[in-house]
Amino acid sequence: MQNDAPQHLMGYKTLAAVLAILLMLTGITVGVSYVDLGIMNVPLALGIASTKVTFVLLFFMHLKYEGKAIKVSFLCTIFFLAIMISFTFWDVAFR
Amino acid sequence: MENKSDFTGIRIGMWLFLYTEIILFGGLFVLYAVYLHMYPDDFVSGGKQLDRVIGALNTVILLISSFTVAASITAIRKNSKKLSLGLLAFSFLCGVVFLVNKYFEWGYKFHHDIYPNSETLTNGPPGENIFFGLYYVITGLHGLHVIIGMTLLAVSFIWVAKGKIEHNNFAMLENSGLYWHLVDLIWIFVFPLFYLVL
Amino acid sequence: MPAIHSFFDTPSPAGLTGVKAWLLTHDHKRLGIMYLWAVLFWFTVALTVGFLLRIELMTIGKTIMSAEIYNSAFTLHGVIMIFLFVIPAIPAIFGNFFLPIQLGTNDVFFPRLNLLSWYLYMFGGLLAIISLFTAGGFPDTGWTFYVPFSVGTNNNVPLTVFAAFILGMSSMLTGLNFITTVHRMRHKAMGWMQIPLFTWSLYATAWVQLLATPVISITLLLVIFERAFNIGLFDPDKGGDPLLYQHLFWMYSHPAVYVMILPGMGVISEIIPTFSRKAIFGYKAIVISSLGIAVAGSLVWAHHMYTSGMSDTAVFVFSLLTFLVAIPTAVKVFSWVSTMYKASIEMTPPLLYALVFIYLFSVGGLTGLVLGAAGTDIHVHDTHFVVSHFHFTMFGGTGFAFFAALHFWWPKMFGIMYNFKRAYIAATLATVGFMFHYVPMFILGMQGMPRRYYDYLPQFAQGNALAAAGGLLLFVGIMLMLINLVLSFRKREISSINPWGGVTLEWTVPSPPPLHNFVAEPNVKEYPYDFSEILTAENAGKKGQVTP
């Protein structure tokens, strides 16, 4: 059995800073939603959401400090999800 | 069993489980993407009928609770049991508030005859029916996950109180935390997709 | 050497005696055996239903059952075979039993979760039985549960669909367990390129199980929701698109065919080198092709939908991608055949089944290209050609790999050897029956006989009669094979530690293995298929006495 390296300990301050960023991004995305940006509405909202999710993953969920197995497999999952959505559009977008 | 001490392994197992949850919701996001492509205008008018403020409030609640759960892990590792318990209880409370908000939101929509197979939706534009159909399925399934997450938090709370979770043995708390963050992650996407498509 | 108790005989801890010692066990070997009996039960049921279907089709018009029963029967056959036999068979039985041993460890990573998977499996099976007799009877939708029919029909779709949901969960948790075990519990001396190929194939399978199964879970849940609340997500009248159901369904179910076949390929990759007494040709190529199949298999789901009315662009793209999947599969077949080239082959029942596998699976794979090419598919889509094709891959492939695994590992699991002569006869009967059963279906399909129809035109009578005769032979052969295995318990011809001259770790432990698998520290070989020691021992005339 491999011995565990003790897991990274997140300080309260780091966590609070992440929370502050997340709340700020939420404010921005709500604020922006009152402005009509035409075709950019959805991409911008999703872009901000992805940024928020990245922060949650990296710090709250410690992904930044995990080993390769979890990092790589997480990316594979996201890749598979992207395939699921995009390949469906081979059909839907060309009907 | 010797692997009880292999925390990395337990975490890998938990992450693998989270992947299945991500893909589970992923199937619904496939539907959302396709229908958004088919009915962009109906989705916009559907989104306008949802209350942005309640949505934003729920987002803030979940984000804060995510922070408190993460902090409770830090607390237990620093041996401050009371702080950890307090943070967990607060996170649980956030879950309750979230569900109460959701309850009123759904109730309000039901009141206005907007629910699956209702007169208004059946006779209205097809895209809006799909929009609200997805809204109920996704937020409903998400609500179920909130309840499961709260259960896990409650169990962790009891374990911390009983001393079964300690500064050097916190896998259960950490996994509950991961689950709770996942619930948060999904909501972070649900919020703009339903409340902010304008 | 002190007496070593096998895991069957190890005294149970207090409070865990008798049947409880099995029902509450965390031992991966006991769970493997428990899966074995449950899976064999379902296999026999579904085999019998399939046989009755063929009897029904033997003559024009009604032969033994009504059209309604026929519809439910082919659904029942499909649902049981897919969800209760083909998907769990090899991973749940042999994976549970041998994956930890091949990795040189004492159990899977989450033993309690493993027990839960077994209960989910049993519960799913129970729900399927209940759905037979309640609220409208078993569905008549086919195992695909296509909307809008599955939402509209009066039969007991929700319960059956829920059973499939539960079974999916069981399969997912097994996959989760295997991945974690491979990552965290491998013997210290075992690097990634020293893992036996069977375990490698299970690892690749586990990823597909884990990432694809949730898609079917949500799809099946949506069917239940649709029936309960009439949301209309797949109902064109309400703005839905029924084709999306098919997309979601195949997004899981196509990768699922690789969940079904990959472990079978792993079994063959163990058997061929063992009886060739030769290192497997292209170990790394097989490993990479397993992972390649897992990835490529996830990109091709819509090739089940060429005639559904999806866009021509999608037909083109998915057809192209489908051809790519053939490459890693061909790499494996090439490696197996090359392993046998110029080898000193020893014929045994497991090898015979493995050879039949290679032949039948190749036919299945090549006819798959006929279906994967959009042009030819339009001609044979939803005909008996398709039925024959997937039975060649799933039955001739996974089924025969399962039989090969049964014969290969039976002496290890139970410590007893079966009768070889009966095993050969059974294999021959089953293979000949198989050919007479399914080859006529290829021809019928090309002539245009649709699948899932209760009745047919007079010009198809000859082919159907032939298929029924072949079906009888096949049924008898398989029954004989199963009886032969069961009879080995009566005769109890004790098997040695290593009856075949295998080199992976399971052949270094007693048969049946003791509770903690290894009596001594496992000796992990530099290269997993190094037969030099076995050959030296055999040349010295001490076959079967090889100990590490």
Side-chain angles (χ1 to χ4, degrees):
Chain A
M1 186 64 44
Q2 297 98 318
N3 248 340
D4 258 330
Q7 213 209 338
H8 185 84
L9 181 66
M10 302 293 303
Y12 295 119
K13 276 185 190 157
T14 325
L15 292 175
V18 173
L19 178 66
I21 294 172
L22 287 171
L23 291 176
M24 203 176 69
L25 285 169
T26 309
I28 293 176
T29 192
V30 174
V32 166
S33 76
Y34 286 96
V35 189
D36 190 7
L37 297 167
I39 198 165
M40 284 308 290
N41 275 337
V42 176
L44 188 71
L46 283 184
I48 294 177
S50 306
T51 318
K52 282 162 73 180
V53 160
T54 312
F55 274 104
V56 173
L57 282 166
L58 288 181
F59 298 102
F60 285 176
M61 299 173 87
H62 306 144
L63 196 58
K64 191 176 172 210
Y65 311 100
E66 290 291 358
K68 239 199 319 198
I70 293 181
K71 279 183 183 157
V72 172
S73 59
F74 179 79
L75 289 176
C76 287
T77 307
I78 298 308
F79 176 72
F80 180 60
L81 183 60
I83 294 278
M84 280 165 61
I85 295 175
S86 58
F87 274 40
T88 308
F89 274 80
W90 284 119
D91 172 17
V92 182
F94 294 93
R95 281 215 192 127
Chain B
M1 233 26 60
E2 58 184 333
N3 49 31
K4 276 209 173 129
S5 58
D6 181 8
F7 293 118
T8 309
I10 295 173
R11 273 208 309 281
I12 290 180
M14 188 63 199
W15 274 96
L16 294 178
F17 178 71
L18 295 187
Y19 301 159
T20 69
E21 294 279 12
I22 292 174
I23 301 290
L24 187 83
F25 279 93
L28 293 171
F29 286 133
V30 170
L31 292 184
Y32 182 93
V34 172
Y35 288 132
L36 176 66
H37 173 79
M38 280 174 155
Y39 306 108
D41 299 335
D42 288 344
F43 269 46
V44 169
S45 63
K48 280 192 176 138
Q49 294 174 46
L50 292 175
D51 192 336
R52 235 179 298 192
V53 179
I54 293 193
L57 187 65
N58 266 349
T59 311
V60 171
I61 289 170
L62 279 191
L63 287 175
I64 293 176
S65 73
S66 251
F67 162 75
T68 51
V69 166
S72 82
I73 297 174
T74 307
I76 197 78
R77 291 184 65 179
K78 288 186 169 169
N79 251 334
S80 27
K81 186 170 161 183
K82 272 196 184 148
L83 180 59
S84 177
L85 284 174
L87 287 167
L88 275 177
F90 179 79
S91 315
F92 187 87
L93 209 68
C94 284
V96 175
V97 176
F98 179 90
L99 287 178
V100 169
N101 273 343
K102 203 82 246 152
Y103 172 79
F104 280 115
E105 214 185 350
W106 275 32
Y108 184 72
K109 281 275 158 294
F110 270 64
H111 189 68
H112 284 80
D113 199 40
I114 293 177
Y115 53 88
N117 210 23
S118 70
E119 285 286 311
T120 317
L121 283 184
T122 315
N123 301 327
E128 270 187 36
N129 177 47
I130 294 293
F131 179 83
F132 282 107
L134 280 173
Y135 166 77
Y136 279 111
V137 171
I138 294 183
T139 56
L141 202 61
H142 179 262
L144 187 67
H145 281 75
V146 171
I147 294 171
I148 299 171
M150 283 163 61
T151 315
L152 287 174
L153 290 181
V155 173
S156 300
F157 181 89
I158 295 169
W159 281 28
V160 172
K162 278 187 175 171
K164 273 172 99 176
I165 295 175
E166 289 169 318
H167 68 102
N168 55 0
N169 181 15
F170 53 93
M172 169 68 193
L173 178 60
E174 188 164 44
N175 284 349
S176 312
L178 282 174
Y179 193 87
W180 191 252
H181 296 312
L182 178 91
V183 171
D184 193 13
L185 284 191
I186 288 164
W187 183 259
I188 290 179
F189 275 109
V190 170
F191 172 55
L193 287 179
F194 283 100
Y195 293 83
L196 305 179
V197 266
L198 297 173
Chain C
M1 205 152 71
I4 300 158
H5 292 292
S6 80
F7 73 98
F8 289 111
D9 309 325
T10 307
S12 323
L16 269 184
T17 46
V19 76
K20 270 198 201 157
W22 286 87
L23 291 181
L24 297 176
T25 185
H26 294 168
D27 181 11
H28 66 104
K29 296 180 290 299
R30 289 197 173 205
L31 283 166
I33 303 270
M34 279 150 73
Y35 271 117
L36 173 70
W37 299 123
V39 167
L40 282 181
F41 165 76
W42 284 113
F43 175 63
T44 318
V45 170
L47 187 74
T48 311
V49 174
F51 181 58
L52 294 176
L53 284 171
R54 265 297 134 190
I55 300 291
E56 169 51 44
L57 287 175
M58 187 166 64
T59 59
I60 299 180
K62 183 179 169 176
T63 311
I64 53 166
M65 57 178 90
S66 69
E68 289 75 26
I69 298 206
Y70 175 82
N71 287 348
S72 288
F74 74 66
T75 309
L76 185 67
H77 172 76
V79 169
I80 296 182
M81 277 296 190
I82 300 281
F83 294 111
L84 285 153
F85 173 66
V86 190
I87 290 178
I90 297 178
I93 300 171
F94 302 108
N96 261 321
F97 201 106
F98 291 108
L99 178 129
I101 307 184
Q102 287 199 332
L103 291 171
T105 184
N106 61 352
D107 209 328
V108 290
F109 194 89
F110 300 108
R112 274 187 298 175
L113 199 64
N114 209 11
L115 182 65
L116 176 68
S117 308
W118 185 79
Y119 275 101
L120 287 174
Y121 175 83
M122 297 308 278
F123 182 56
L126 184 71
L127 286 181
I129 294 182
I130 294 174
S131 71
L132 278 176
F133 304 107
T134 50
F138 205 76
D140 48 358
T141 57
W143 76 281
T144 47
F145 302 111
Y146 269 13
V147 293
F149 187 58
S150 61
V151 175
T153 180
N154 287 325
N155 295 24
N156 201 355
V157 173
L159 196 60
T160 312
V161 159
F162 188 63
F165 175 84
I166 297 284
L167 292 168
M169 222 142 106
S170 160
S171 149
M172 226 149 57
L173 292 179
T174 304
L176 187 157
N177 225 333
F178 285 177
I179 295 174
T180 321
T181 310
V182 170
H183 274 275
R184 300 302 298 179
M185 291 184 77
R186 237 165 44 231
H187 192 271
K188 279 188 224 71
M190 190 181 276
W192 282 98
M193 283 301 143
Q194 285 153 285
I195 299 176
L197 287 167
F198 177 59
T199 297
W200 254 120
S201 74
L202 287 173
Y203 179 75
T205 309
W207 275 111
V208 184
Q209 282 176 302
L210 196 79
L211 291 185
T213 315
V215 188
I216 196 76
S217 306
I218 191 67
T219 314
L220 296 176
L221 280 183
L222 283 173
V223 170
I224 297 177
F225 289 163
E226 282 297 330
R227 285 184 72 103
F229 306 116
N230 256 313
I231 308 170
L233 287 177
F234 300 123
D235 181 354
D237 281 345
K238 293 180 168 181
D241 179 359
L243 270 191
L244 283 180
Y245 173 86
Q246 297 187 19
H247 273 297
L248 285 179
F249 180 82
W250 290 112
M251 224 175 261
Y252 161 73
S253 297
H254 195 74
V257 309
Y258 299 103
V259 169
M260 303 175 203
I261 195 65
L262 269 171
M265 291 169 157
V267 171
I268 304 305
S269 305
E270 295 288 337
I271 292 178
I272 297 283
T274 302
F275 297 108
S276 304
R277 295 285 184 277
K278 202 172 143 208
I280 188 138
F281 183 88
Y283 170 86
K284 277 190 187 166
I286 294 186
V287 170
I288 293 167
S289 67
S290 288
L291 297 172
I293 288 177
V295 174
S298 309
L299 311 177
V300 297
W301 69 80
H303 66 210
H304 295 264
M305 301 164 55
Y306 290 155
T307 62
S308 67
M310 70 174 180
S311 78
D312 289 345
T313 316
V315 171
F316 170 76
V317 172
F318 280 104
S319 186
L320 186 74
L321 288 167
T322 301
F323 280 79
L324 292 180
V325 190
I327 297 170
T329 312
V331 166
K332 283 181 193 274
V333 174
F334 179 75
S335 293
W336 296 326
V337 177
S338 306
T339 307
M340 287 188 289
Y341 180 66
K342 285 193 173 172
S344 57
I345 294 171
E346 185 195 359
M347 183 49 93
T348 57
L351 182 66
L352 182 59
Y353 281 106
L355 295 176
V356 173
F357 166 95
I358 296 182
Y359 174 70
L360 295 180
F361 180 71
S362 302
V363 174
L366 290 170
T367 50
L369 290 177
V370 176
L371 296 165
T376 44
D377 175 71
I378 305 234
H379 180 64
V380 288
H381 190 90
D382 266 351
T383 66
H384 265 62
F385 191 91
V386 180
V387 178
S388 186
H389 155 71
F390 68 71
H391 280 89
F392 261 90
T393 55
M394 295 292 96
F395 188 1
T398 312
F400 273 76
F402 173 71
F403 304 151
L406 268 179
H407 287 83
F408 188 54
W409 280 313
W410 191 268
K412 181 54 68 184
M413 293 170 88
F414 298 105
I416 46 176
M417 191 56 95
Y418 45 84
N419 181 309
F420 271 31
K421 198 171 163 195
R422 270 200 298 263
Y424 284 130
I425 295 174
T428 314
L429 275 180
T431 310
V432 173
F434 189 97
M435 297 303 286
F436 275 103
H437 190 49
Y438 290 112
V439 172
M441 290 192 213
F442 275 134
I443 297 163
L444 288 170
M446 283 196 279
Q447 289 171 340
M449 180 174 160
R451 67 191 282 209
R452 290 179 173 173
Y453 277 32
Y454 177 63
D455 211 350
Y456 49 84
L457 296 170
Q459 68 253 39
F460 301 134
Q462 199 183 16
N464 276 299
L466 202 57
L472 179 66
L473 217 54
L474 176 61
F475 186 73
V476 170
I478 288 175
M479 283 302 160
L480 179 64
M481 176 196 81
L482 292 177
I483 290 167
N484 180 39
L485 288 174
V486 172
L487 281 181
S488 69
F489 288 112
R490 273 175 85 185
K491 213 162 166 223
R492 295 210 75 85
E493 189 188 320
I494 302 299
S495 154
S496 65
I497 284 184
N498 192 358
W500 311 124
V503 283
T504 40
L505 285 176
E506 75 267 29
W507 302 111
T508 66
V509 298
S511 322
L515 183 62
H516 294 297
N517 296 345
F518 292 94
V519 189
E521 187 66 11
N523 172 23
V524 178
K525 288 197 173 66
E526 187 101 355
Y527 175 69
Y529 296 96
D530 176 4
F531 283 88
S532 53
E533 282 173 35
I534 297 282
L535 287 172
T536 321
E538 272 181 8
N539 290 338
K542 293 193 300 177
K543 188 183 162 197
Q545 303 296 313
V546 189
T547 36

